[in-house]
Amino acid sequence: MSAEPNPLDDLPGDTAGTPRGAAATGPRAEPASSESARLAFLYRAGEALGASLEWRTVLRRLAELVVPELADWCAVDVLGDDGRVERVAAAHREPGRVALVHELFRLRPVDLTMSDVIAQTLRTGVASRMEAVSERAWEREVALGARVGMVLPLVARGRVLGAMSLLRGDAAAGFTEQDLEVARELGRRASLSMENALLYEEARVSQALSARLQTVTAALSRAATAEDVARVLVHDGLEASGAARGTVMSLTDEGFIHFIGEFGYSREFRAALEGKRPLVVPVLARAAERREAQWFSRLEDLLPLTGIVRREVAVLGGGARAVLPLLTERGVRGFVWLAWEGQRDFTASERSFLEALAQQCSQALERAVLYGTLRERGERLHHALQMGKEAEERLFFLLEASRALAEHLDDVEWTLEHVARVAASSVASSCLVELVGPDGTLRCVASAHQEPSRDASVLQALGGEGALSLSRECFHSGEPRFVPDVDAALCERLSDSSEQRALLQALRPASLLVVPVRTRGRTLGVITLGTSPPQRPLAMSDVSMMEELARRVAVALENASLYRDAQAAVRLRDEFLSVASHELKTPLTSLKLQHGLIDRALGPDSREKVAPRLSTAMRQVQRLASLVDHLLDVSRVSLGRLALEPTEVDLGQAVRDAVDRMEEVFAVAGCTVRVEIPEPLQGRWDALRLDQVLVNLLTNAAKYGAGRPVQVSASAEGEARVRLSVRDEGIGISETDLPRLFGRFERAVSERHYGGLGLGLYISRQIVEAMGGSIEVESREGVGSVFTVLLPRSAG
Ligand code: ADP
């Protein structure tokens, strides 16, 4: 029966006991013949019984001690928590019959409800002795040959835990009082050892439970979702609790039951409860209301509280149940429902283990909710950041494209290449720009890939004429074509040859977008964008962005065309000016000549009469000639034909000559002129052009000088340059007009008061700049102006 060595064998002075094997058939020794022998036996028995902390071993030893000292055979039966009786030990003086003792129990098991002697003892805790062989209560024992017997209760923790049956086959060998006493003492000691063993086992179990609780707690701390929590709870906690079935239900924010983990339960049980309110199952309502676990040793206790799941629960059979609420500060978050196969008295440590599990589970569920919120918030933030980044990318692209389009009016095609390059390296991976040609068909003006070495392949891959051509469709309909998710079938339809298919495959477009470039109802071209992984695919925001870009491209194309027209018109006008002023100069030269001849031919009388008129006519012709010269110069500047012929010039002399020639002009204007040039200022300049600048500045000083003094000064500016200033104290120029004065046809005075074309300063600046110098003005309205020219000594 026992594989362990019998501690009795090692006991010294074993005089009272007969080795079991040897005594199997012999007459019983007289164990209690003397008081001292009895005490020695009891002492040894106490030692043997106390030597194990495993109660089954204790009881086996008890049986072995009894036989053959007190009885021919002995059986020890224990009463389980579920009310069932188990025979845990048997001994017989003939070892071969031990199996019989067990077999008899198997054939006629002890049932607490029966009236047999063992059942009685277990029920009442009172010892029984066989009074007569015919007693019904002793039927089983008599069947095995018992003629004398007694059954003693094994009592521990105030409860009858088992019964020890001592039986003899010899009717003459009845039990003496001493036998009875020894047997009782043995029973007491066995009970004591059993109690110790039970305590020890309980301690071991609760230690194991607390270790398991630690494992579960550690695992729960890593659980991030309610499902993770339930999984840990089921696998690491509930299944190990010995329960046959278990389920973890959570309550949604709206208070509905939601199964998050289970084992052993049928689908029907789940279906009956999922989505319902706990109220429909009274035991759940009670657990929630009382905020404490509900324990049911037997199914019958639970059934009245099962509500709508009565059938499902009943089908699963009898056995103990436990329903634990999952409590948090915010209230009940769910339930754990457990079922055991048999009846069960929940021990305190088992209850506290399951309650602790439920508490851990509640906390973990709370944490999971918190993680969920945090995760969701994090994801939203990430999404917002991503959206922000994408929007920023689009904006930068639009800005860069618009800047390029605005800056290079004269070369839109270059700009479009630039725009395609920027698109292919920011919002997309490839970009194709096609414009309608004179023959009305599309031609590629820009093709760019994020790897510039693959630029050409973009055109070949996307510009084909397959069964489907997105750009052609877009061009004809004037509507964008957007494919957010390009698949193999689409690539197939886009290809018109195996070569193009291969190129498309190499391009791996994930999304494609074609937008029309339209203006005033006409489609001027199309722009195609493609993305390849790992780049993000195009989205609806990209469609809006590209439509905006297309609008700007359309405006740029229109502007470029207007600009080209305007350029042509300007060129035409300059050509006309050039031809016209040349043509005008010939008759003017002839007119001047005629005036000279008339002047010389006049006699004294007639001179007196016509001289004033002739001189007016000559002045007007001079003025006309100067205007024509201006126009001619403007056309020369525009056509880039302002040629310089530098010679050695003394600036001081040049100024004095000009002032002398204009003496009459200053006199008419009522201005005095002072020239301050202390030293000769030699340089290499185009003398005629230099004179032209001087005359322009002096004419303006006289014209706008308001009859006040004019001062002309010049000096050396370092080694290499000279500075010339013309200062007047006239009407001055307003600050707002100053910046534009040197522009063509720009004027700051009314035509009514002052005649002029607004070309003098323009031409002067062109000449000065052509000489490598600069001209600027300082002026205050009503105070006067200073025009300053800086010239390098060697110009042109
Ligand atoms: P115009 O004198 O034929 O109008 P300019 O090109 O010589 O053309 O001068 C342009 C404008 O500059 C003038 O119309 C006048 O408003 C202003 N301006 C030029 N010189 C002076 C000056 N010395 N004082 C005030 N205004 C001046």
Side-chain angles (χ1 to χ4, degrees):
M1 264 200 321
S2 170
E4 293 175 38
N6 190 337
L8 275 177
D9 296 345
D10 303 330
L11 290 175
D14 186 5
T15 50
T18 304
R20 283 162 292 139
T25 50
R28 185 179 3 272
E30 282 303 318
S33 56
S34 72
E35 187 65 14
S36 62
R38 206 172 71 228
L39 285 177
F41 171 71
L42 282 176
Y43 170 77
R44 287 199 311 277
E47 290 262 295
L49 291 174
S52 176
L53 281 172
E54 211 278 302
W55 62 268
R56 284 175 188 272
T57 310
V58 168
L59 295 180
R60 274 201 302 271
R61 284 186 185 155
L62 175 68
E64 284 159 8
L65 279 166
V66 168
V67 177
E69 304 287 339
L70 287 173
D72 291 334
W73 77 89
C74 167
V76 185
D77 303 299
V78 294
L79 182 58
D81 283 340
D82 53 3
R84 276 197 289 232
V85 181
E86 183 191 357
R87 175 146 295 179
V88 291
H92 200 288
R93 59 184 295 132
E94 292 169 35
R97 305 195 70 181
V98 170
L100 260 181
V101 182
H102 280 291
E103 181 60 15
L104 189 66
F105 180 82
R106 205 181 57 76
L107 290 173
R108 304 174 70 168
V110 177
D111 181 336
L112 270 194
T113 58
M114 286 170 26
S115 58
D116 78 77
V117 65
I118 297 175
Q120 276 175 37
T121 306
L122 287 173
R123 269 200 313 272
T124 59
V126 178
S128 301
R129 277 176 78 166
M130 198 198 297
E131 301 297 342
V133 175
S134 59
E135 274 184 69
R136 285 209 58 191
W138 290 84
E139 239 173 33
R140 180 189 307 107
E141 287 68 26
V142 170
L144 207 69
R147 292 294 172 265
V148 180
M150 62 176 159
V151 178
L152 298 166
L154 296 172
V155 181
R157 302 177 160 192
R159 272 203 314 139
V160 181
L161 294 182
M164 165 171 75
S165 312
L166 279 65
L167 301 149
R168 289 180 182 171
D170 183 357
F175 290 108
T176 64
E177 273 311 307
Q178 277 179 341
D179 290 342
L180 201 60
E181 210 175 298
V182 171
R184 278 213 181 94
E185 187 56 29
L186 270 183
R188 257 196 305 278
R189 292 189 182 200
S191 298
L192 206 67
S193 296
M194 198 171 162
E195 181 149 350
N196 280 342
L198 282 174
L199 272 177
Y200 172 73
E201 188 171 302
E202 246 173 50
R204 230 183 33 181
V205 167
S206 70
Q207 200 179 19
L209 290 181
S210 87
R212 176 146 299 278
L213 196 60
Q214 272 179 19
T215 315
V216 174
T217 309
L220 281 178
S221 70
R222 292 187 292 273
T225 64
E227 283 67 26
D228 286 349
V229 172
R231 202 172 309 126
V232 169
L233 192 71
V234 165
H235 289 126
D236 296 352
L238 302 181
E239 281 181 344
S241 72
R245 296 179 295 283
T247 173
V248 186
M249 307 167 220
S250 71
L251 286 181
T252 63
D253 288 342
E254 294 76 29
F256 296 112
I257 293 171
H258 172 52
F259 279 69
I260 52 175
E262 65 199 339
F263 65 102
Y265 267 108
S266 63
R267 230 178 309 144
E268 287 72 24
F269 180 68
R270 181 190 181 130
L273 269 177
E274 178 81 39
K276 303 282 187 329
R277 289 197 181 273
L279 269 182
V280 297
V281 183
V283 66
L284 294 181
R286 187 199 279 186
E289 190 187 301
R290 298 189 182 171
R291 295 176 67 84
E292 60 183 28
Q294 304 297 308
W295 309 97
F296 304 93
S297 299
R298 303 171 313 140
L299 172 70
E300 296 78 63
D301 303 337
L302 169 69
L303 279 181
L305 295 170
T306 42
I308 61 159
V309 283
R310 185 186 168 89
R311 198 169 49 86
E312 285 77 11
V313 170
V315 163
L316 289 165
R321 304 287 200 276
V323 176
L324 299 102
L326 298 174
L327 302 169
T328 69
E329 281 173 11
R330 294 189 294 139
V332 178
R333 304 298 303 160
F335 303 92
V336 171
W337 183 306
L338 293 169
W340 286 263
E341 287 298 359
Q343 188 172 322
R344 188 180 194 86
D345 286 332
F346 295 100
T347 63
S349 59
E350 196 175 11
R351 287 177 190 228
S352 41
F353 167 69
L354 290 172
E355 280 167 349
L357 266 189
Q359 195 190 348
Q360 291 292 339
C361 175
S362 316
Q363 287 172 4
L365 280 179
E366 280 287 275
R367 276 199 304 274
V369 170
L370 195 70
Y371 289 155
T373 317
L374 285 177
R375 208 173 28 238
E376 200 180 309
R377 218 178 283 167
E379 276 165 13
R380 273 213 303 273
L381 201 66
H382 179 77
H383 184 67
L385 277 178
Q386 190 62 28
M387 296 301 282
K389 226 179 79 191
E390 287 173 12
E392 193 181 63
E393 195 178 58
R394 286 186 196 104
L395 194 68
F396 272 125
F397 166 63
L398 255 188
L399 280 178
E400 174 55 24
S402 310
R403 191 191 58 75
L405 287 168
E407 273 179 16
H408 300 275
L409 264 187
D410 48 340
D411 194 351
V412 180
E413 295 203 357
W414 176 89
T415 312
L416 290 177
E417 269 175 39
H418 177 70
V419 168
R421 167 79 46 234
V422 178
S425 56
S426 57
V427 291
S429 346
S430 47
C431 178
L432 187 67
V433 184
E434 294 163 282
L435 293 182
V436 64
D439 59 353
T441 61
L442 286 177
R443 79 194 160 85
C444 169
V445 292
S447 162
H449 189 274
Q450 62 187 11
E451 292 166 31
S453 59
R454 297 176 62 189
D455 281 355
S457 73
V458 173
L459 170 63
Q460 289 157 347
L462 296 177
E465 291 287 317
L468 174 72
S469 162
L470 294 175
S471 54
R472 207 174 45 207
E473 268 194 5
C474 170
F475 179 59
H476 290 309
S477 67
E479 298 288 333
R481 286 284 176 272
F482 178 36
V483 187
D485 194 1
V486 176
D487 56 14
L490 185 91
C491 285
E492 185 62 35
R493 292 182 61 213
L494 289 176
S495 323
D496 60 3
S497 64
S498 56
E499 199 188 346
Q500 194 196 352
R501 193 174 310 120
L503 284 165
L504 257 174
Q505 272 162 6
L507 202 62
R508 289 189 303 144
S511 56
L512 283 172
L513 167 65
V514 192
V515 289
V517 177
R518 282 172 70 78
T519 183
R520 282 181 272 148
R522 273 192 322 127
T523 304
L524 306 179
V526 296
I527 306 176
T528 307
L529 276 195
T531 60
S532 313
Q535 191 176 32
R536 66 167 178 85
L538 297 166
M540 276 319 286
S541 310
D542 295 297
V543 179
S544 320
M545 169 199 73
M546 284 308 285
E547 284 179 325
E548 179 58 32
L549 176 76
R551 262 193 294 281
R552 295 182 191 198
V553 169
V555 170
L557 286 173
E558 276 243 299
N559 284 347
S561 141
L562 289 174
Y563 180 74
R564 269 195 305 273
D565 291 352
Q567 290 276 80
V570 166
R571 235 188 334 272
L572 203 66
R573 187 203 62 198
D574 289 341
E575 292 287 352
F576 168 76
L577 270 181
S578 164
V579 173
S581 31
H582 268 291
E583 289 307 308
L584 283 171
K585 272 191 90 90
T586 320
L588 274 177
T589 313
S590 154
L591 206 55
K592 268 190 201 167
L593 216 64
Q594 293 303 322
H595 280 155
L597 289 175
I598 292 170
D599 190 31
R600 253 174 280 152
L602 284 178
D605 295 349
S606 48
R607 176 174 297 278
E608 204 176 319
K609 279 186 200 147
V610 298
R613 287 195 185 139
L614 184 62
S615 108
T616 306
M618 287 169 88
R619 264 206 316 280
Q620 290 305 330
V621 167
Q622 185 53 43
R623 185 144 178 257
L624 206 54
S626 143
L627 288 174
V628 169
D629 277 345
H630 271 157
L631 287 178
L632 194 59
D633 281 343
V634 169
S635 72
R636 277 194 190 120
V637 169
S638 301
L639 298 170
R641 293 181 196 153
L642 192 70
L644 297 177
E645 287 175 25
T647 54
E648 274 303 315
V649 178
D650 174 12
L651 181 62
Q653 193 53 51
V655 171
R656 279 188 288 275
D657 287 352
V659 170
D660 286 351
R661 261 189 285 122
M662 293 188 59
E663 196 184 345
E664 198 188 334
V665 177
F666 281 109
V668 172
C671 299
T672 59
V673 186
R674 194 151 59 90
V675 177
E676 267 184 32
I677 303 176
E679 48 182 339
L681 290 168
Q682 291 297 131
R684 280 186 67 77
W685 299 294
D686 182 316
L688 283 177
R689 291 296 178 191
L690 183 61
D691 181 65
Q692 201 177 344
V693 173
L694 289 170
V695 170
N696 277 339
L697 295 180
L698 290 170
T699 310
N700 282 349
K703 195 160 147 191
Y704 306 111
R708 303 186 60 81
V710 171
Q711 184 185 337
V712 186
S713 52
S715 58
E717 178 84 5
E719 288 280 290
R721 291 192 302 173
V722 293
R723 167 195 293 273
L724 165 82
S725 314
V726 179
R727 176 190 300 272
D728 66 60
E729 298 168 19
I731 61 171
I733 304 155
S734 78
E735 214 171 314
T736 48
D737 291 327
L738 276 177
R740 59 182 180 87
L741 282 192
F742 294 98
R744 206 156 33 159
F745 304 113
E746 293 293 354
R747 310 199 65 223
V749 286
S750 81
E751 273 167 42
R752 257 191 315 136
H753 294 103
Y754 300 94
L757 290 177
L759 288 174
L761 288 182
Y762 169 70
I763 291 167
S764 299
R765 186 166 85 166
Q766 299 302 320
I767 293 170
V768 169
E769 286 181 354
M771 288 178 172
S774 62
I775 179 167
E776 56 192 44
V777 58
E778 270 178 68
S779 182
R780 273 175 59 199
E781 234 174 338
V783 176
S785 315
V786 186
F787 284 84
T788 304
V789 176
L790 269 177
L791 277 180
R793 285 204 190 241
S794 178

